[in-house]
Amino acid sequence: QVQLLETGGGSVQPGGSLSLSCVVSGGSFTNFDMGWFRQDPGKEREFVAGFRWTPHNIYYDDSVKGRFTVSGDTDRNTLYLQMNNLKPEDTAVYYCAVRSAEFVPMSIVTSYPYWGQGTQVTVSS
């Protein structure tokens, strides 16, 4: 059974940075597609970034491109999301998710069967 544990959320002022981690247990993330998503109360869960180890591909939503960076550590079986120049509109609960590699766009929320518990990110002055 695949399990995901996110850490690293918190509160920061606009322009600040946070780093999120997602530890994968029950399988090697090099065999999966991994996604970062976020959800604000009352809104739908939305795609932030996707990571595929083989072949190596990374995707970003336009709203975070140039500010967020996804990376992976195979030794720690951990996916990271470095968030820089944070804006108030980035405030949300952030989730990591895992699926078997598919030919479905990585932005499709319903294509991911495994989810972490989420971590709150708040950007406010």
Side-chain angles (χ1 to χ4, degrees), residues 12-16 85-88 123-125:
V12 67
Q13 293 186 340
N85 191 22
L86 282 160
K87 303 176 180 180
V123 185
S124 174
S125 54

Side-chain angles (χ1 to χ4, degrees), residues 26-106:
S28 171
F29 79 79
T30 59
N31 298 324
F32 300 134
D33 288 345
M34 297 197 67
W36 284 104
F37 294 81
R38 64 188 181 188
Q39 187 169 22
D40 222 3
K43 296 184 179 180
E44 293 187 354
R45 193 165 295 188
E46 63 180 20
F47 174 76
V48 174
F51 182 96
R52 176 177 294 161
W53 191 262
T54 307
H56 192 63
N57 282 306
I58 300 177
Y59 306 91
Y60 297 98
D61 183 78
D62 286 345
S63 64
V64 306
K65 204 172 290 184
R67 301 187 297 121
F68 290 12
T69 303
V70 176
S71 61
D73 184 332
T74 55
D75 290 338
R76 292 180 170 82
N77 225 28
T78 300
L79 189 73
Y80 301 99
L81 181 66
Q82 177 64 40
M83 304 183 293
N84 297 328
N85 191 22
L86 282 160
K87 303 176 180 180
E89 53 263 41
D90 295 318
T91 295
V93 177
Y94 283 69
Y95 299 88
C96 64
V98 162
R99 70 180 192 189
S100 298
E102 300 183 15
F103 293 104
V104 174
M106 296 186 73

